[in-house]
């Protein structure tokens, strides 16, 4: 099961790259002083940090009893990040429409 998650690492890197490009396109057109998404972006960055930490934990866990825990944490962190990202994306699209 650990091998499957490691194979997904390349997929995750591709997803993060795509998200990063999306955020770069969104932010330059906005005035930083009036950036209304400050709280959402803060939460998104925190969720990304949690996801990264969960990946590091998963890669370094040695105890077989903790592998399931590491996988659960990794999946939960990833879902949280994508949820927050979709909320930011929806808000940006609504306001730019």
């Amino acid at each position: 099961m650990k091998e499957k998650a490691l194979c997904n690492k390349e997929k995750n890197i591709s997803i993060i790259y795509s998200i990063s490009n999306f955020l770069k396109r969104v932010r330059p057109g906005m005035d930083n002083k009036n950036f209304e998404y400050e709280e959402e972006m803060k939460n998104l960055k925190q969720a990304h940090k949690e996801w990264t930490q969960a990946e590091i934990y998963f890669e370094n866990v040695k105890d077989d009893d903790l592998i399931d825990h590491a996988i659960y944490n990794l999946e939960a962190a990833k879902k949280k990040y994508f949820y927050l990202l979709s909320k930011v994306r929806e808000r940006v699209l609504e306001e730019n429409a």
Side-chain angles (χ1 to χ4, degrees), residues 14 18 75:
S14 174
S18 298
E75 290 301 314

Side-chain angles (χ1 to χ4, degrees), residues 10-68:
E10 290 178 12
K11 184 178 173 185
N12 291 342
I13 291 170
S14 174
I15 291 168
I16 292 169
Y17 178 77
S18 298
I19 292 166
S20 176
N21 284 337
F22 168 76
L23 293 175
K24 285 177 186 175
R25 286 192 312 261
V26 170
R27 191 164 184 144
M30 298 177 184
D31 183 3
N32 286 336
K33 293 178 187 174
N34 297 323
F35 191 63
E36 299 175 11
Y37 308 103
E38 201 64 41
E39 187 68 24
E40 288 90 345
M41 292 302 292
K42 181 179 146 189
N43 291 338
L44 189 62
K45 287 178 184 179
Q46 179 63 33
H48 184 265
K49 183 178 178 181
E50 291 170 8
W51 183 10
T52 303
Q53 290 172 339
E55 283 185 329
I56 292 168
Y57 175 68
F58 174 77
E59 290 172 1
N60 292 305
V61 71
K62 304 268 190 258
D63 189 346
D64 289 341
D65 294 334
L66 293 177
I67 290 175
D68 287 339

